[in-house]
Amino acid sequence: MANQYPLHTLGVIALSLSLLTPAHAASLTRDNGAVVGDNQHSQTAGPNGPVLLQDVQLIQKLQRFDRERIPERVVHARGAGAYGTFEASADISALTRAKVFAKGSKTPVFVRFSTVIHGLHSPETLRDPRGFATKFYTSEGNWDLVGNNLPVFFIRDAIKFPDMVHSLKPSPETNLQDPNRFFDFFAHQPEATHMLTRLYSDYGIPKGYQYMDGNSVHAWKLVNAQGRYVYVKFHWASRQGQHNLTMQQAAAIQAQDFNHASRELIKAIKHKQYPQWDLYLQVMQPEDMAKLDYNPLDATKIWSGVPEQKVGTMTLNRLPANIFQETEQSAFAPSNLVPGIEPSEDRLLQGRIFAYADTQLHRVGSNGLQLPVNRPLVAVDNNNQDGAMNGGQRQGGVNYEPSRQGSLQQDASARYSQLPLSGSTQQAGISKTLNFRQAGEFYRSLNKQEQANLIANLAADLGRVRNEATRNTMLSYFYKADSGYGQAISKALNANVGEIAKLAAQLHE
Ligand code: HEM
């Protein structure tokens, strides 16, 4: 009772269909397969009369053109994709039962890199986090690792995400992005100080997609065959090295070619200079989590001091043949998980577990996971059915479970791990916020030139903020992170450093 044929079966169907292709295969056809007689002239009533509705080629061509677009992604609309392979190199079976990590196993992948805020054809030279989403077509179903280049995020609770994105997107009134709007928002989010510091450093404009790392940002759980879990963070380390653009370099490139990141990726793969990333894991035992002075399930934090271990390498070696069908219709979701990999209790991640599959039901459609780029290599057998554009091959009368007649059964070995709980429901922030310390540590890890670039990059945007209270609040956050950092950016904006220091003194970590 297959809901959908596995890929190899579909291959056979496609092959046999191709044998049925008419002899005049090179002829232009309409969507019903009929040959087109004239694709250059509409049918008209004589030399001077109106165009005829009965010209089905004209009508169909316009109808299909009118419907070419699907909604673009609400964020991460601009992107570039590539296929490749992930090869697992370490035995971590003590940590996870997921076969994608069985030492020596090779798993096909599709990766989509992206910018976040602006639309489908926006410049790739803008300051923005970069998306780094990987779909692993594993032997146990698809696993999507949907990360970013920067290792932390602006906020720690999904309930803030729509407001944050609204503030960062162009204004609904002017259609212009405006620092007055997004700093107005961020002046209420001290936890964003770490991410903003990284974003306004030169890491906020990577030189190209091959030249950036990827990060899960969130902690995930790896679960072993005994059901025991550990918390992990994933990190893709670029073998090409991390290279960024300064504000001036980005402006110069943008003037010539605002598609440089897609172009460089395409060029590298066409020239067989296949980009590679090593995948690293940081591991934390559940019993060690409470010992830290920050919350390790807070997406605004890195796990500093926790060693990394390499678990595999990814190589990208094939470009999509059709950008719309593959890159545009690809649907990555943190909820696409396989046994042995589970979400942590990170509040931002929990919102993402819902949001991606939800937006994709709207953006790509109920049966979007049947598309070649999204469908698993393994068979999909379940009783989810119907919906628009259903091209699956579900058969038989038993579309429910359990049943004495059906053959589909749950498998207890794939049950979720169990999390001990206590207490009552609540609506409250986390207790160990530590909003500023890691921002200061990152600032001090930069060399003098990088620090100067960060100050200049920040001053360029924060200097456009007209509201003094908003500007000073932001400055106090940077001062609280590191007094030298706060002084430098305050001076660049001609702010009263003494006043900023006073504001910073009132802030709690
Ligand atoms: C609660 C917080 C968040 C929400 C609600 C959210 C929501 C979304 C939505 C609705 C999309 C469009 C998906 C689509 O149309 O296919 C998207 C794309 C994306 N998001 Fe998030 N996001 C959040 C946080 C994050 C974080 C923390 C990261 C990185 C760790 C991230 C990385 C990405 C990436 C890489 C994409 C593009 C995937 C692709 O290439 O198709 N997002 N996000």
Side-chain angles (χ1 to χ4, degrees), residues 287-303:
E287 56 274 21
D288 292 336
M289 312 281 279
K291 297 177 191 160
L292 299 163
D293 63 355
Y294 61 91
N295 184 334
L297 302 184
D298 170 2
T300 71
K301 299 297 179 298
I302 57 168
W303 288 358

Side-chain angles (χ1 to χ4, degrees), residues 126-171:
L126 301 176
R127 183 170 308 286
D128 216 358
R130 298 300 192 269
F132 191 135
T134 311
K135 189 180 286 294
F136 297 78
Y137 303 90
T138 91
S139 60
E140 301 174 296
N142 287 356
W143 170 45
D144 295 352
L145 180 56
V146 194
N148 277 347
N149 65 329
L150 302 176
V152 291
F153 204 63
F154 303 95
I155 48 173
R156 54 170 75 102
D157 190 321
I159 203 165
K160 288 174 182 280
F161 187 80
D163 292 304
M164 184 192 82
V165 171
H166 288 172
S167 82
L168 284 161
K169 287 262 186 192
S171 155

Side-chain angles (χ1 to χ4, degrees), residues 151 216-219 232-235 280-282 296 301-303:
S216 64
V217 176
H218 310 280
V232 297
K233 283 206 182 204
F234 297 97
H235 171 208
Y280 287 86
L281 273 190
Q282 284 178 301
K301 299 297 179 298
I302 57 168
W303 288 358

